């Protein structure tokens, strides 16, 4: 009888079924990101903010610098959404968005070889988000307008 009780105890115990308490994954624990992206969807670089809106999606925007020509400086405002392919602290993600470009006179009509001031973009990236808040992303982008241009960017930030 004692052996049956021991077997039942093992079967019903949480260690047998591995029912350990699960903490929320890091994206939900630290949902707000303040970051700097080098190159990337903002042009030469951008300051960004994004927020986790569900377990698998974050959305954000930035203010970037496209460059300058003489006395004119060209700025960008990228808007984006990221869809994470898993919920680990290190995850691949797909991204999409658009970048709006401004010059000293307002919305500019074209950027270099691009024929539009609004550049839709998409990409594939990798994110590492530590429990302490440090964030790193590397992404490859495709910028779409009258021409297609491959692009890339690196992001360093802090998640709170």
């Amino acid at each position: 009888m004692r052996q049956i009780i021991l077997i039942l105890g093992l079967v019903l115990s949480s260690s047998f079924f591995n029912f350990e308490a699960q903490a929320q994954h890091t994206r939900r624990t630290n949902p707000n990101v303040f970051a700097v992206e080098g190159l990337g969807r903002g042009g030469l670089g951008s300051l960004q903010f994004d927020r986790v809106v569900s377990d698998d999606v974050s959305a954000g925007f930035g203010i970037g610098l496209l460059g300058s020509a003489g006395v004119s400086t060209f700025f960008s405002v990228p808007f984006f959404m990221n869809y994470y392919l898993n919920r680990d602290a290190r995850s691949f993600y797909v991204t999409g968005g658009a970048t709006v470009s401004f010059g000293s006179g307002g919305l500019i009509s074209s950027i270099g070889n691009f024929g539009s001031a609004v550049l839709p973009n998409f990409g594939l990236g990798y994110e590492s988000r530590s429990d302490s808040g440090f964030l790193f992303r590397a992404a490859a982008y495709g910028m779409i307008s009258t021409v297609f241009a491959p692009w890339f960017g690196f992001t360093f930030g802090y998640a709170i």
Side-chain angles (χ1 to χ4, degrees), residues 34-90:
F34 297 93
V36 174
E37 183 176 36
L39 300 175
R41 63 180 108 226
L44 297 176
S46 61
L47 298 174
Q48 297 180 345
F49 171 79
D50 65 79
R51 180 167 173 81
V52 171
V53 294
S54 76
D55 283 337
D56 303 314
V57 176
S58 68
F61 66 95
I63 299 173
L65 179 66
L66 289 171
S68 61
V71 295
S72 297
T73 302
F74 301 103
F75 297 97
S76 65
V77 179
F79 298 92
F80 58 92
M81 289 186 74
N82 299 331
Y83 177 80
Y84 296 92
L85 302 179
N86 65 45
R87 295 182 180 168
D88 294 336
R90 292 173 215 45

Side-chain angles (χ1 to χ4, degrees), residues 129-154:
R129 184 185 299 230
S130 71
D131 288 335
S132 63
F134 176 74
L135 177 120
F136 170 76
R137 291 180 184 142
Y141 300 109
M143 306 294 222
I144 305 167
S145 186
T146 55
V147 298
F148 171 81
W151 196 244
F152 62 94
F154 299 97

